[in-house]
């Protein structure tokens, strides 16, 4: 929450994935030790989100990495070569990644990422351990990366860790891919034709872009000459003072309490440009890492997006017709408003025309600007506190066409969003009561010859409230923290055929979490620690099934777990 608290949760992060996946609860057989508290002994992490569904087909599981990440902060990424299993050579109906880990002792949360053939297929952060040790598991559907999975590819896994006399935790990690064969009831998955990695290429360095304040990620790419569609999948996470960027305040206020407040204001957006032209943007989710704000908040129910970071989809198809000349083109990704480090990376998913050697086209409209209108007001109160209010709105559209073998296809991408952040800052920056709302809709309209116009609409809402109090702060071994956090993620995906057709729902997520925690240390020893939390998830799984689950926890242990598969589907 504050600058030094961001040290407690260094970095973090993670896409249609979830903790667990087994039929039995992840904590089966675990019981609290007498007198335990969530700083010293807590149940293995758990989430109410659904696991990835697994088709009932012949399948093969391959262990692509089993590695201990000790003092790896300066090491190059772990590398291996992944080859499709000969017993399950394809075609596949689904491919699932499983990431499992364990750690014990004392350790920070760490940012981790997995790349295949240079493309980022998974991002996550680690759990912070207790003394006896914890284990956790995350799964992700990686079927969309089939174009890379079909042939041998280099695997890179980045997890920079520090081990010394104080921070003793070694992350013991295992990564597997499970290939599910297609059959009569489970057809081969339809995916993009090609994938281009969006990464930096420096020998021995992580392939993601590690940006400082005011920097952008830039890469030069050459596209297929028969390109018809382009979709960018991007991961973006802040670090340092931008780890919890949503609690940042204006620079003049941050300067009055530099030990507790971070500057730059709270508004962030991930901007994308093609050859210098605005091409799209995404609102970053307000993720809180497992050591963030107060570490006991997330023991054992993990914060939303903590272990399951969803990437952001940005449709670049309006630009596709201008990228087919065989020349390099510049893609730029910028964490707008950043006041500290950000880590970016991703992949481009490309469709091509199988009946034409070269397509062509151009952008016909682009109303997106790269400087959002942000309103900020500061109101000083008689008791010495300051109320900060920040608002922003966006409304833009980009249109373009591609001339293909079956005629001209016109794509229009539009977005509308509204953002508010209110923050009551008191006790010389030690107390913050922040409330943020961030909601909007992205639409993609496609018109082609001989077919009805289709429109895909993605709506999101990312609410978060934080009430935090740094009662005392001497150093990493001497502090007293208290906080309450309410966090949500609401998603709705719908499709419409024709301008007057009915909208049909293709996916929903309504995920809300509430947590209260406290943690005090003196000379490194825990003086007091406690937490209570609950999470309720209602929505659809990756296969479209209804799913509803509610978790409740106290003192680091689950007290109630209800629901699961077969729940109700409610439109958010």
């Amino acid at each position: 929450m504050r600058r030094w608290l961001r040290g407690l949760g260094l970095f973090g992060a993670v896409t249609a994935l979830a903790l667990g996946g087994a039929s039995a609860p992840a904590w089966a057989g675990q019981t609290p030790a007498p007198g335990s508290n969530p700083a010293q002994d807590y149940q293995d992490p758990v989430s109410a989100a659904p696991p990835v569904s697994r088709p009932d087909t012949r399948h093969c599981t391959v262990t692509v990495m089993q590695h201990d990440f000790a003092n790896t902060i300066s090491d190059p990424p772990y590398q291996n070569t992944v080859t499709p299993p000969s017993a399950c050579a394809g075609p596949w109906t689904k491919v699932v990644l499983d990431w499992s880990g364990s750690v014990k002792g004392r350790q920070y949360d760490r940012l981790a990422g997995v790349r295949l053939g240079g493309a980022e297929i998974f991002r996550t952060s680690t759990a912070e351990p207790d003394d006896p040790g914890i284990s956790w598991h995350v799964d992700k559907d990686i079927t969309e990366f089939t174009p890379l999975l079909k042939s041998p590819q280099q695997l890179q896994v980045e997890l920079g860790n520090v081990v010394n006399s104080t921070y003793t935790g070694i992350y013991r990690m295992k990564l597997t891919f499970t290939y599910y064969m297609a059959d009569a009831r489970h057809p081969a998955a339809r995916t993009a034709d090609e994938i281009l990695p969006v990464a930096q290429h420096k020998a021995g360095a992580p392939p993601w872009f590690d940006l400082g304040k005011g920097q952008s990620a830039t890469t030069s790419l050459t596209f297929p000459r028969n390109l018809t569609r382009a979709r960018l999948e991007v991961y973006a996470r802040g670090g340092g003072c931008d780890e919890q960027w949503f609690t940042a305040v204006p620079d003049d206020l941050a300067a009055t309490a530099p030990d507790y407040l971070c500057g730059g204001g709270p508004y962030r957006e991930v901007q994308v440009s093609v050859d210098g032209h605005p091409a799209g943007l995404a609102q970053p989710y307000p993720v809180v890492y497992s050591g963030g704000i107060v570490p006991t908040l997330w023991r054992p129910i993990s914060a939303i997006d903590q272990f399951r970071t969803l990437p952001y989809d940005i449709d670049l198809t309006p630009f596709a017709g201008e990228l087919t000349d065989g020349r390099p083109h510049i893609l730029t990704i910028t964490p707008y408003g950043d006041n500290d480090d950000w880590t970016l990376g991703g992949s481009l998913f490309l469709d091509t025309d199988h009946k034409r050697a070269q397509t062509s086209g151009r952008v016909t409209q682009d109303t997106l600007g790269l400087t959002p209108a942000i309103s900020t007001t500061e109101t000083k109160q008689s008791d010495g506190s300051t109320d900060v209010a920040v608002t922003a709105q966006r409304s833009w559209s980009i249109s373009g066409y591609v001339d293909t073998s079956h005629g001209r296809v016109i794509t229009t991408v539009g977005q509308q969003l509204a953002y508010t952040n209110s923050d009551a800052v008191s006790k010389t920056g030690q107390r913050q009561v922040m409330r943020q709302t961030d909601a909007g809709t992205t639409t993609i309209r496609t018109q082609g010859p001989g077919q009805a116009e289709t429109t895909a609409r993605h709506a999101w809402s990312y609410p978060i409230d934080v009430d935090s109090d740094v009662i005392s702060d001497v150093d990493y071994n001497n502090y007293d923290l208290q906080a309450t956090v309410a966090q949500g993620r609401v998603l709705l995906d719908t499709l419409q055929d024709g301008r007057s057709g009915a909208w049909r729902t293709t996916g929903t997520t309504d995920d809300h979490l509430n947590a209260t925690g406290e943690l005090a240390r003196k000379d490194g020893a825990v003086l007091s620690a406690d937490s209570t939390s609950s999470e309720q998830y209602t929505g659809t799984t990756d296969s479209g099934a209804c799913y509803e689950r509610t978790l409740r926890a106290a003192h680091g242990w689950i007290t109630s777990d209800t629901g699961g598969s077969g729940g109700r589907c409610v439109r958010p």
Side-chain angles (χ1 to χ4, degrees), residues 124-278:
T124 185
S125 66
T126 61
E128 289 199 348
D130 55 19
D131 293 336
I134 59 167
S135 299
W136 78 104
H137 165 247
V138 188
D139 54 6
K140 182 194 171 187
D141 182 353
I142 58 170
T143 311
E144 64 179 355
F145 292 95
T146 293
L148 296 175
L149 291 162
K150 288 179 178 179
S151 59
Q153 299 286 347
Q154 183 187 61
L155 177 83
Q156 294 176 297
V157 181
E158 172 66 20
L159 198 169
N161 191 26
V162 174
V163 172
N164 54 33
S165 59
T166 301
Y167 299 102
T168 58
I170 297 174
Y171 285 104
R172 307 186 187 280
M173 308 305 301
K174 181 179 180 180
L175 179 66
T176 66
F177 293 173
T178 301
Y179 304 79
Y180 293 88
M181 294 294 291
D183 60 21
R185 294 189 303 113
H186 305 87
R190 297 179 61 183
T191 66
D193 294 318
E194 298 184 30
I195 297 174
L196 287 181
V198 177
Q200 71 168 352
H201 304 284
K202 292 183 179 179
W208 52 45
F209 294 92
D210 193 3
L211 307 178
K213 178 180 178 180
Q215 293 183 328
S216 298
T218 300
T219 186
S220 177
L221 300 166
T222 301
F223 292 81
R225 304 202 71 168
N226 57 345
L227 182 67
T228 59
R229 183 171 183 261
R231 175 177 65 88
L232 173 65
E233 187 177 272
V234 61
Y235 290 95
R237 286 292 176 259
C241 247
D242 263 20
E243 188 167 301
Q244 274 95 55
W245 46 266
F246 40 88
T247 63
V249 299
D251 289 337
D252 63 316
L253 182 57
T256 67
D259 291 336
Y260 299 104
L261 299 175
C262 288
Y267 184 77
R268 303 288 185 272
E269 63 182 33
V270 180
Q271 300 178 345
V272 177
S273 297
V274 174
D275 293 331
H277 301 287

Side-chain angles (χ1 to χ4, degrees), residues 231-480:
R231 175 177 65 88
L232 173 65
E233 187 177 272
V234 61
Y235 290 95
R237 286 292 176 259
C241 247
D242 263 20
E243 188 167 301
Q244 274 95 55
W245 46 266
F246 40 88
T247 63
V249 299
D251 289 337
D252 63 316
L253 182 57
T256 67
D259 291 336
Y260 299 104
L261 299 175
C262 288
Y267 184 77
R268 303 288 185 272
E269 63 182 33
V270 180
Q271 300 178 345
V272 177
S273 297
V274 174
D275 293 331
H277 301 287
L281 62 84
Q283 299 301 106
Y285 185 79
V287 63
V288 184
Y289 311 119
S290 61
I293 305 179
V294 180
T296 54
L297 287 164
W298 321 115
R299 302 181 177 185
I301 302 176
S302 58
I304 298 169
D305 218 68
Q306 193 174 97
F307 298 133
R308 33 164 314 196
T309 292
L310 299 184
Y312 309 110
D313 274 358
I314 299 174
D315 198 308
L316 301 180
T317 305
F319 288 83
E322 298 186 352
L323 302 175
T324 62
D325 55 8
R327 300 174 182 174
H329 292 269
I330 302 301
L331 181 74
T332 303
I333 308 174
T334 302
Y336 180 88
D338 64 323
N339 198 51
D340 211 325
D341 297 336
W342 278 73
T343 304
L344 277 68
S347 309
L348 275 162
F349 296 83
L350 310 177
D351 289 339
T352 58
D353 192 328
H354 297 176
K355 297 181 179 180
R356 176 173 287 189
Q358 183 171 0
T359 55
S360 62
R362 68 183 183 91
V363 176
T364 57
Q365 180 190 41
D366 189 346
T367 67
L368 175 60
L370 295 182
T371 305
I374 304 169
S375 172
T376 302
T377 60
E378 297 179 50
T379 305
K380 305 291 185 181
Q381 304 296 329
S382 59
D383 61 359
S385 64
T386 301
D387 291 344
V388 181
V390 179
T391 61
Q393 291 185 331
R394 281 286 208 174
S395 180
W396 56 269
S397 66
I398 302 174
S399 295
Y401 68 83
V402 181
D403 288 328
T404 71
S405 60
H406 57 277
R408 176 166 292 184
V409 178
I410 302 170
T411 302
T412 301
V413 179
Q415 187 180 83
Q416 292 184 325
L417 67 88
Y419 170 91
T420 65
N421 181 295
S422 63
D423 195 352
V425 183
S426 60
K427 293 175 61 177
T428 320
Q430 291 175 255
R431 177 82 187 278
Q432 283 185 271
V433 181
M434 186 280 302
R435 180 181 179 86
Q436 178 171 290
T437 62
D438 186 350
T441 302
T442 302
T443 59
I444 303 170
R445 181 174 292 112
T446 304
Q447 301 168 267
Q451 62 184 38
E453 177 182 293
T454 61
T455 304
R457 183 169 63 192
H458 173 71
W460 78 90
S461 177
Y462 301 153
I464 185 168
D465 300 344
V466 178
D467 183 342
S468 66
D469 194 354
V470 181
I471 297 170
S472 67
D473 168 19
V474 178
D475 55 33
Y476 291 125
N477 288 315
N478 298 272
Y479 54 81
D480 190 351

